[in-house]
Amino acid sequence: MMAQPIAVAIHGGAGNMTPENLPSEKAKQIEAYLRDVVEEAHRLLSEGRLALEVVEIAVRRLEDAGWFDAGIGSYLNERGFIEMDASIMDGKTRRTGAVAAVRGVRNPITLARLVMERTSHVFIVGEGADSLARIWALPPLRNEVPTISPGVVTQGTVGAVALDKYGNLAAATSTGGIAGKKVSRVGDSPIIGAGTYAENGVIALSATGYGEYFIRSVLTYDIAARIRYAKMTPAAAIQSAFKERLESIGGTGGVIAVSPQGEVFFHFNTSGMYRAGKDSAGRLTVGIYK
Ligand code: ASP
């Protein structure tokens, strides 16, 4: 019998990084970290862990890295403090959990998952979300030294998508948003169908880029709809949605995706996107630039 396919992909944000403006030592460190996160995620999937668990674990590690725009590495808003957004989606049940403009929790992705599992709601914001994090005793966000290397410029939103042995897809995205954003501004990352979407038998997606454009394009749902209704391949759906929905209004950024067959996709219209993936054939991809 053929082994059931498993696959995973992660991103650390799309942006204007080039070999000229990112020192090669830092690029190597980031690539090594991305490789390590994706290898661990793939191993967990091979051991039978659920896609939902694995995307949360992968995103937590990216939040804890300290040099992506998520968790302890988050950009500051216009008043100089951190507000974070995150969401997670289970493609099997289409259950989701999301939080936005949270200030005091170290791992917003875990808070999003608990919103999904412990409340009858899908989206809780601001002080109410922060107070749930305290009630559930989640580790607080503190001024701490990032786990990889202090002093590294933060980069981008983080996300993960996965296919588990049982055919389940899941997606998770976490961010500190845009640097210098208005207080209480919410981007696409916690909005299901904009920054995050997963549906078994269709696709799992996590986006990164200028969030306002992804919300206006309802980008991840638009890609899923092209696959579901227009019967497009994932590659054609991603490319056409980027062109017709996002780029037509001036949007920039990228997406990662995993298909029900265990293919992995990366697509971006910026000069770079921190990314890594391992598909059902065990092929590893790690990259930063185009
Ligand atoms: N999409 C995120 C936001 O607009 C930012 C990013 O991906 O870098 O909040």
Side-chain angles (χ1 to χ4, degrees):
M1 212 178 84
M2 282 270 291
Q4 294 300 314
I6 55 171
V8 60
I10 59 172
H11 70 80
N16 60 0
M17 50 280 196
T18 61
E20 290 71 47
N21 65 22
L22 182 69
S24 68
E25 271 315 301
K26 277 180 195 168
K28 277 196 206 121
Q29 263 185 304
I30 296 175
E31 284 184 342
Y33 195 77
L34 292 170
R35 182 179 302 119
D36 193 55
V37 172
V38 103
E39 292 282 18
E40 183 196 14
H42 198 267
R43 180 177 53 75
L44 293 171
L45 290 165
S46 73
E47 289 168 6
R49 298 286 287 271
L50 297 174
L52 185 74
E53 297 176 300
V54 169
V55 293
E56 183 200 349
I57 291 167
V59 166
R60 282 178 68 104
R61 286 198 60 193
L62 296 166
E63 288 173 338
D64 287 342
W67 61 18
F68 300 110
D69 172 28
I72 60 173
S74 294
Y75 285 127
L76 305 179
N77 63 20
E78 68 174 2
R79 288 210 221 133
F81 59 88
I82 288 175
E83 286 187 320
M84 299 162 289
D85 306 334
S87 68
I88 190 163
M89 184 164 191
D90 178 6
K92 180 181 182 185
T93 55
R94 280 189 288 119
R95 290 176 80 206
T96 77
V99 294
V102 293
R103 300 177 182 182
V105 64
R106 185 186 166 108
N107 295 109
I109 200 62
T110 297
L111 184 58
R113 183 167 174 198
L114 293 180
V115 165
M116 175 175 107
E117 290 178 349
R118 295 188 184 173
T119 78
S120 56
H121 308 304
V122 299
F123 199 172
I124 301 184
V125 307
E127 178 46 35
D130 273 311
S131 82
L132 284 175
R134 289 190 294 273
I135 290 165
W136 293 331
L138 298 186
L141 185 73
R142 292 208 181 86
N143 290 334
E144 54 191 301
V145 179
T147 52
I148 299 185
S149 119
V152 174
V153 183
T154 55
Q155 309 293 352
T157 294
V158 305
V161 289
L163 170 72
D164 67 27
K165 275 186 176 177
Y166 320 102
N168 300 311
L169 292 167
T173 311
S174 181
T175 188
I178 302 278
K181 66 187 179 181
K182 293 231 167 290
V183 173
S184 300
R185 175 266 189 189
V186 176
D188 60 312
S189 308
I191 297 181
I192 295 305
T196 307
Y197 192 75
E199 185 172 332
N200 277 15
V202 182
I203 194 90
L205 294 148
S206 171
T208 166
Y210 207 94
E212 281 71 6
Y213 294 94
F214 285 75
I215 296 171
R216 291 168 59 199
S217 305
V218 200
L219 195 81
T220 55
Y221 185 72
D222 193 83
I223 293 168
R226 282 165 199 260
I227 298 167
R228 189 180 172 87
Y229 302 116
K231 311 284 177 221
M232 286 188 184
T233 62
I238 292 168
Q239 268 161 32
S240 61
F242 252 74
K243 214 163 151 244
E244 293 163 23
R245 303 289 300 170
L246 189 76
E247 290 166 1
S248 57
I249 56 170
T252 53
V255 290
I256 56 169
V258 164
S259 74
Q261 290 72 38
E263 305 151 290
V264 163
F265 302 89
F266 302 100
H267 187 83
F268 51 102
N269 65 6
T270 46
S271 63
M273 180 169 76
Y274 298 103
R275 62 194 184 277
K278 199 165 187 180
D279 68 12
S280 56
R283 270 186 300 261
L284 177 72
T285 312
V286 183
I288 298 179
Y289 314 110
K290 267 257 185 287

